Amino acid sequence: MTRIYLDHAATTPVHPEVAHVMTEHLSNQYGNPSSIHHYGRESKKLLDEARNLMASSINADFSSIIFTSGGTEANNLAIFGSVYARSNKGKHIITSSIEHHAVLHPFEQLEAEGFEVTYLSVDPSGVISVEDVQAALREDTIFVSVMTVNNETGHRQPLEEIGELLADHQAVFHTDAVQAFGVEKIDVDALRVDLLSVSSHKIYGPKGIGFLYKRNEVDLKRRVFGGEQERKWRSGTENTLAIEGFKQAVNVLKRDMGQRTEHYQKLTDTLLKELDERFIVYEVNGEDSKKVPNIMNISFPGMDVEIFLMNLDLEGIAVSSGSACTAGSIDPSHVLKAMYGEEDPKLRNSIRFSFGIDNTEEEMVVAAEKIKKIIERLQG
Ligand SMILES: Cc1ncc(COP(=O)(O)O)c(C=O)c1O
């Protein structure tokens, strides 16, 4: 059976050029970047090159990049590190109710520790409102975290406007850019963010590596103690193999970004056209004009997401509900819940499609055909 992978927001395969660079590195480079001899200096050079590339990819300084084990650690370092460092300035923090759990759960932990949290909601557009941010801001607000692009629906959040709002406020501004980095040009100055999280395995790099951008003036309370790596913000011998792979993934991304986004849009348009031509009843969740082209959350009235996903998998189509899977059953999506309310059937009948560079328009035709077949079978 030919399988079609449409779950790139969960993770992407490793790009062949990345795999090549990593294989070479694995066989030939092993120096510890902290060692002062030849081997160490060679590794340090590669590390510096990678840091330079990461920094330039978001218009930041070399010294503002902290390599982490991925998006989750970058978010945790940004949130706990910044909130603890500023706890003498206030106890109020703000985030949105549609964040990834790597942001929501740290906020819940801080709430349990006595911080006051405002969770901004969204309307069915999938986008938080700047007025809500403004209304939530208080003199004692010390931290605001709003994601750049939502991982379940693909909706861009109004970061520039929030950045402007916060320009004269004491609150530190963090964004989880894990889903945006591969599809949007990111400029930390234009967004006016102080902290920004990125992960490698969403952009055809290896898993277990990412970075936190930290504006130089922003202070963090350290989370990991040990050696002097990452200017002491994140001690521990650097994962040079993964960083080499990540670097190559960013190089390829820089080269291919334009054609990738065009390709994603074509795939989106083809899938929707093919669904229409088969008279399949569906609705794209959220406002279409405000989303990235590679993620699409679609509601199929009358379907049950768990059974639908299982049947799609049996037919070789790998998609996801976009929400957490606990002990084999799917929790209703907290993102769709925020958009539509607890009782909306969309919470039980929506599927996330997320496209990648290897997907073809022919695959969209096959996917639509299989979706039709399954719906007909399940709905009699
Ligand atoms: C928006 C968002 N933030 C954070 C993460 C976590 O990143 P990582 O898997 O690198 O820890 C993900 C991964 O799904 C994500 O989509």
Side-chain angles (χ1 to χ4, degrees):
M1 177 174 50
T2 45
R3 293 192 175 273
I4 302 177
Y5 185 75
L6 301 176
D7 200 16
H8 294 81
T11 195
T12 53
V14 169
H15 194 282
E17 290 181 50
V18 172
H20 174 72
V21 165
M22 288 183 78
T23 312
E24 288 287 304
H25 183 93
L26 189 59
S27 312
N28 300 312
Q29 291 274 351
Y30 52 87
N32 185 326
S34 300
S35 302
I36 55 167
H37 49 60
H38 166 82
Y39 299 89
R41 288 199 311 276
E42 285 285 297
S43 282
K44 176 73 167 57
K45 188 164 154 269
L46 294 179
L47 188 61
D48 286 350
E49 283 170 11
R51 198 183 306 283
N52 224 347
L53 180 69
M54 302 300 154
S56 76
S57 72
I58 56 168
N59 188 29
D61 290 341
F62 175 84
S63 58
S64 64
I65 302 296
I66 305 167
F67 283 109
T68 64
S69 64
T72 300
E73 189 191 332
N75 284 341
N76 273 261
L77 178 59
I79 297 166
F80 288 110
S82 184
V83 170
Y84 289 152
R86 305 170 63 72
S87 59
N88 60 341
K89 295 190 168 69
K91 288 273 176 246
H92 181 236
I93 53 182
I94 299 175
T95 192
S96 83
S97 47
I98 58 167
E99 299 293 313
H100 190 273
H101 285 142
V103 167
L104 279 181
H105 289 166
F107 268 82
E108 285 162 14
Q109 176 60 30
L110 287 168
E111 198 172 12
E113 291 173 20
F115 289 90
E116 283 177 61
V117 183
T118 300
Y119 296 96
L120 303 163
S121 200
V122 284
D123 61 19
S125 72
V127 180
I128 70 163
S129 112
V130 184
E131 291 71 41
D132 287 353
V133 182
Q134 189 158 22
L137 262 186
R138 308 188 328 205
E139 239 171 64
D140 66 337
T141 306
I142 52 170
F143 188 76
V144 176
S145 181
V146 174
M147 68 200 320
T148 322
V149 166
N150 182 267
N151 51 297
E152 291 192 28
T153 63
H155 286 97
R156 290 190 189 91
Q157 303 305 317
L159 287 205
E160 287 90 346
E161 291 91 326
I162 300 171
E164 210 175 311
L165 201 62
L166 294 176
D168 298 321
H169 194 281
Q170 66 154 352
V172 161
F173 185 22
H174 166 250
T175 189
D176 174 346
V178 165
Q179 295 291 345
F181 189 67
V183 282
E184 303 253 290
K185 187 103 197 67
I186 291 176
D187 179 329
V188 289
D189 285 341
L191 295 178
R192 300 206 211 189
V193 290
D194 301 304
L195 297 156
L196 178 142
S197 308
V198 168
S199 177
S200 147
H201 74 104
K202 313 287 183 180
I203 62 148
Y204 297 87
K207 295 173 181 50
I209 189 74
F211 70 77
L212 174 67
Y213 156 77
K214 182 186 84 62
R215 198 174 285 284
N216 285 328
E217 310 83 87
V218 171
D219 193 24
L220 294 181
K221 195 130 191 143
R222 294 175 62 187
R223 307 282 294 155
V224 178
F225 292 80
E228 310 237 328
Q229 296 90 351
E230 303 303 289
R231 308 170 112 221
K232 293 206 226 166
W233 297 117
R234 203 270 192 178
S235 296
T237 302
E238 301 86 348
N239 187 348
T240 48
L241 173 64
I243 291 171
E244 261 308 276
F246 188 13
K247 181 175 95 185
Q248 187 59 16
V250 173
N251 268 323
V252 176
L253 175 66
K254 273 178 102 172
R255 187 190 67 204
D256 295 351
M257 171 110 87
Q259 78 197 51
R260 276 186 194 180
T261 43
E262 259 175 48
H263 179 61
Y264 298 148
Q265 190 60 54
K266 223 179 269 169
L267 296 170
T268 297
D269 294 345
T270 308
L271 181 61
L272 294 181
K273 176 174 102 11
E274 294 297 325
L275 293 177
D276 287 339
E277 281 178 5
R278 287 166 180 77
F279 302 104
I280 295 168
V281 181
Y282 72 90
E283 194 183 324
V284 177
N285 293 324
E287 196 171 320
D288 194 38
S289 64
K290 299 201 166 149
K291 61 172 218 56
V292 289
N294 59 322
I295 302 179
M296 187 160 51
N297 201 294
I298 305 186
S299 146
F300 293 92
M303 297 300 286
D304 174 86
V305 64
E306 246 163 273
I307 297 170
F308 201 12
L309 283 179
M310 218 183 309
N311 277 272
L312 283 162
D313 187 42
L314 287 172
E315 292 282 348
I317 311 281
V319 285
S320 104
S321 68
S323 51
C325 224
T326 324
S329 73
I330 295 166
D331 290 336
S333 153
H334 67 280
V335 176
L336 297 181
K337 208 188 278 184
M339 286 166 69
Y340 299 115
E342 302 250 351
E343 302 303 326
D344 199 290
K346 288 188 169 80
L347 271 60
R348 299 289 326 162
N349 66 23
S350 294
I351 284 190
R352 176 184 71 181
F353 296 83
S354 48
F355 308 115
I357 54 176
D358 292 326
N359 289 134
T360 62
E361 289 177 64
E362 292 70 41
E363 285 180 334
M364 299 305 113
V365 178
V366 176
E369 190 53 39
K370 294 201 166 173
I371 289 169
K372 178 175 179 236
K373 193 168 124 188
I374 294 167
I375 291 178
E376 281 177 357
R377 190 166 67 222
L378 294 177
Q379 295 188 340

